[in-house]
Amino acid sequence: MFNLARIIGSRNWNQNFTVNRMAGGYVKGYFVPTVTVLNLDGAIIPHKTRKSVKIPAGDTIEGAIDIYTSTTLMTASQNATLDGTGNLPDEVIWRGDTYKIISEEDFSDYGFNLYAAVRKSSSLADSIVTP
Amino acid sequence: MSAYVLTLPQLRGIMWDVTKAITSFPDNQILHAFQPNGQPGFEITQNLIYLNVSPQDDPNDKQQYTLYGPGDNLNATGATTYTTVFSVDFTLYGPNSYDNAVMIKSRILNDDIREIMTNQLVFPVADIPAPRYAPYDFNDQYYNRTDLTVTIYVGSIRTASVPYLQSAAIISIPDVGPQIPFFVEPGGTLPGSGLDFSDPGNSEYIPLT
């Protein structure tokens, strides 16, 4: 099988980005994560147009990116309700904006994974709900 | 009496305590719905309860009652009490979702559970509709799901200062005899009244009847 990890890791494509990993547990019905900051690398390209959406509350920006990386990012886990611990999807900080991982395509047999992430208005670290 | 108004997160917390007391579920299986950043999912075999509390219109949320009491030298206090009405939506998943819904429907009216609420001016309405069994299609599997809605009345008290009257203009109007209209020419006088009719604007004088 061919392996594309070296292409993904090539300096022609590769760039660094910051990831907020958010594992945690439930406190009185609220999921309260602890943010761990990771520095990872991969290739990032736009997934769709970054555009302004006009709503009564103001003009909001929406957008999405694709991330090709040889490391593993986290989507939402499903076991927090089983054993009390779990995680929210990773947040990717790229060019000053925060994106939340919403999909994963596992090409790890060929040396990389492909993720899609949508823009959030702010990082979770600014808006953690506590009981 | 000081103000007492429960916020929506406080109400959610009270209903979480109630659900916990009824079901004795672990903390990670009684969850609040619509968390701003989402929350981890679950699997088809798990018995879980999701809570949502939202305001509801009701004929009993229209009345207000204000009780006045002494304040300081310049103000009285007014304590306005009123009722707000909320629907508590329990969304139950898992193999035992229906049985858990029936348990909540029954137990929430028992004294030991009601006490958790009434101590905080929250009162469940006894007329609880039957749970609705509504399996949910996800990943080509039907997840057992049961919906239960309980209406609660929530008491609130808001206080405000009510200023005392500091002064009032007192006008004495003489008794001018028979209660009939009559007319005084400009510059004329009305004996015994002390009123000055030299101003043309005051030329017409009609006693109050």
Side-chain angles (χ1 to χ4, degrees):
Chain A
M1 282 190 287
F2 60 90
N3 189 316
L4 299 175
R6 286 181 60 188
I7 296 176
I8 298 295
S10 160
R11 282 191 303 171
N12 293 328
W13 296 92
N14 196 273
Q15 61 179 301
N16 293 320
F17 55 87
T18 303
V19 169
N20 290 337
R21 180 147 299 166
M22 291 164 297
Y26 278 100
V27 180
K28 292 200 74 171
Y30 293 101
F31 187 77
V32 181
T34 302
V35 178
T36 305
V37 178
L38 306 171
N39 291 308
L40 302 178
D41 60 85
I44 296 180
I45 60 173
H47 177 89
K48 68 174 185 181
T49 307
R50 176 188 164 94
K51 68 174 183 179
S52 169
V53 180
K54 189 175 182 180
I55 61 174
D59 291 358
T60 57
I61 305 295
E62 65 177 32
I65 55 174
D66 283 333
I67 305 157
Y68 295 79
T69 178
S70 53
T71 55
T72 301
L73 301 178
M74 304 289 284
T75 52
S77 71
Q78 295 212 340
N79 59 356
T81 48
L82 280 173
D83 58 17
T85 59
N87 68 278
L88 296 177
D90 281 348
E91 284 181 349
V92 175
I93 315 295
W94 183 64
R95 293 189 177 171
D97 281 341
T98 305
Y99 295 85
K100 170 187 170 182
I101 302 290
I102 58 162
S103 75
E104 173 188 40
E105 291 171 57
D106 184 354
F107 292 104
S108 57
D109 286 344
Y110 309 100
F112 72 100
N113 290 311
L114 168 59
Y115 299 92
V118 294
R119 187 181 183 276
K120 299 173 68 174
S121 60
S122 65
S123 168
L124 172 69
D126 301 329
S127 59
I128 291 176
V129 173
T130 52
Chain B
M1 187 178 288
S2 60
Y4 179 84
V5 181
L6 290 170
T7 63
L8 202 52
Q10 286 172 328
L11 269 177
R12 283 199 288 259
I14 292 169
M15 298 318 297
W16 190 93
D17 292 337
V18 165
T19 312
K20 173 85 176 172
I22 293 174
T23 61
S24 300
F25 274 18
D27 284 10
N28 59 332
Q29 292 178 13
I30 305 169
L31 312 173
H32 297 290
F34 303 113
Q35 296 189 29
N37 289 287
Q39 57 184 313
F42 61 95
E43 294 177 4
I44 194 168
T45 55
Q46 294 178 261
N47 288 305
L48 294 176
I49 302 171
Y50 288 86
L51 291 174
N52 189 37
V53 178
S54 58
Q56 175 181 310
D57 195 28
D58 190 279
N60 290 313
D61 68 4
K62 316 301 179 196
Q63 301 87 351
Q64 289 193 347
Y65 173 69
T66 303
L67 180 67
Y68 294 102
D72 54 30
N73 289 338
L74 299 177
N75 298 285
T77 59
T80 301
T81 61
Y82 57 94
T83 301
T84 35
V85 185
F86 292 83
S87 69
V88 183
D89 300 319
F90 298 86
T91 305
L92 301 97
Y93 289 95
N96 301 329
S97 66
Y98 173 76
D99 306 305
N100 292 330
V102 171
M103 177 167 59
I104 292 171
K105 179 178 186 291
S106 167
R107 286 277 287 128
I108 201 167
L109 299 174
N110 290 158
D111 284 348
D112 60 329
I113 301 299
R114 287 179 56 213
E115 195 172 83
I116 300 171
M117 293 178 274
T118 53
N119 287 342
Q120 302 176 81
L121 298 187
V122 176
F123 306 90
V125 176
D127 180 17
I128 302 173
R132 182 167 182 273
Y133 180 61
Y136 175 74
D137 182 11
F138 181 69
N139 279 358
D140 207 33
Q141 287 177 294
Y142 280 122
Y143 281 49
N144 272 335
R145 168 182 170 158
T146 304
D147 293 339
L148 174 71
T149 299
V150 176
T151 300
I152 54 173
Y153 283 5
V154 179
S156 299
I157 303 166
R158 289 187 191 271
T159 56
S161 292
V162 182
Y164 291 129
L165 289 174
Q166 298 297 307
S167 63
I170 298 174
I171 300 173
S172 174
I173 297 177
D175 181 359
V176 292
Q179 302 294 299
I180 54 170
F182 57 95
F183 186 77
V184 179
E185 291 291 338
T189 58
L190 186 64
S193 72
L195 294 174
D196 178 10
F197 292 95
S198 58
D199 179 355
N202 288 341
S203 63
E204 188 172 9
Y205 179 72
I206 301 173
L208 298 175
T209 55

